[in-house]
Amino acid sequence: MKVLAAFQARHPYSFSDEGVLPPVLDFCMNKITNPEVEILSFEQFLIQCMIMVKSVLECKEYLPSMTGHVVDETGITLEQVKKNIAAAVSALLASLLPNDRVVLLCNALIRRYFVLSGSDIEEWKQNPEAFHHEQDMVQWTEKLRPCAEALYIILFEKYSKLLGPVVVSILQEAMNNCPTTLNEITPGLLLKDAAYGATAYVYYELSNYISFKEWFNSDLCLELTNDHPNRRIIKRKVALVLGQWVSEAGEQIEADTKQQVYSASIWLLEDIDVAVRCSNLH
């Protein structure tokens, strides 16, 4: 799979052939969204599948508008050849990635690959600072979760109108199933952590679907009032949400809410957990 991903990156036009791109992309999509149990333990294989899908989605050679002015002997411009290939690939991708399959991929990334594992939590417990740096500062091609996050961001950028309501629905489900008073590390709490992360990564689009002021007052600020050690999982993502939303979408947030957010950020800087503090700084 690594060889195929490298070949697609270096020779995108050759790779776009009907006998190559469809079966490879279909294979990767199936392995990501519905992996066999034995495959889940082979993280590098799943990483390469995600790299392949991401590379295809963001490949500039597959975009409808292409450039080029070289003329060959037949009089057909290179620009036209590229446009023809791009149009064919665009139609091919539309058939390979219908809306329901895009939604399925989005759900799989958030619900399966964003969720912290038992080993993640144990690593966090043993060395919070090392855990933070490994999760947030490692190259996205080296670890499964950062790779899933990178794929998710590209997927959302390409299908934002389709996926905006989907991500908001997952967020609402997660908040309903995990109240701010819950202290057990349950699947509901881990999904909430994943949903908060998914929301933070694409804040620039979700501001059209979510009122930050209402979200902050009804949930985010309440997350910070629970000092149970297990709530550090949620607090770390709250820090990410606050930092992303306010720093990049700040013009859409009212002044009084900003002041409360800044106070919350200061509060997070004093948290007992090093990973929470590092996330707030990051």
Side-chain angles (χ1 to χ4, degrees), residues 14-154:
S14 298
F15 194 86
S16 67
D17 185 86
E18 288 187 6
V20 181
L21 179 58
V24 172
L25 186 61
D26 189 61
F27 175 84
C28 291
M29 287 287 294
N30 288 336
K31 294 305 178 184
I32 295 169
T33 58
N34 190 29
E36 297 89 345
V37 175
E38 57 271 19
I39 287 181
L40 288 173
S41 60
F42 292 96
E43 286 198 359
Q44 284 302 315
F45 175 77
L46 287 170
I47 286 172
Q48 293 303 320
C49 287
M50 291 182 185
I51 290 174
M52 172 62 75
V53 176
K54 178 178 178 292
S55 182
V56 169
L57 288 176
E58 65 182 348
C59 181
K60 68 181 188 299
E61 286 81 6
Y62 298 161
L63 297 177
S65 178
M66 308 302 291
T67 59
H69 304 284
V70 178
V71 180
D72 65 20
E73 294 178 355
T74 66
I76 301 175
T77 65
L78 180 59
E79 178 182 5
Q80 189 58 51
V81 172
K82 289 182 175 181
K83 284 183 177 180
N84 292 342
I85 294 175
V89 174
S90 181
L92 202 59
L93 291 178
S95 65
L96 288 169
L97 298 172
N99 287 351
D100 58 342
R101 202 175 195 189
V102 172
V103 171
L104 177 63
L105 176 57
C106 179
N107 269 285
L109 292 173
I110 296 173
R111 296 177 184 274
R112 177 178 293 122
Y113 299 105
F114 283 18
V115 174
L116 294 174
S117 66
S119 60
D120 291 326
I121 295 171
E122 182 60 28
E123 181 184 348
W124 186 345
K125 181 180 178 181
Q126 296 299 324
N127 193 332
E129 185 173 2
F131 170 81
H132 167 77
H133 290 305
E134 181 174 332
Q135 296 297 313
D136 286 11
M137 303 185 74
V138 71
Q139 284 289 329
W140 67 270
T141 55
E142 296 177 4
K143 293 287 185 178
L144 186 58
R145 186 176 298 105
C147 190
E149 292 166 353
L151 172 56
Y152 164 77
I153 291 171
I154 293 299

Side-chain angles (χ1 to χ4, degrees), residues 216-232:
F216 179 80
N217 290 331
S218 65
D219 288 275
L220 295 178
C221 67
L222 296 179
E223 303 284 11
L224 307 181
T225 62
N226 189 335
D227 291 329
H228 192 281
N230 289 340
R231 296 300 298 192
R232 71 190 187 278

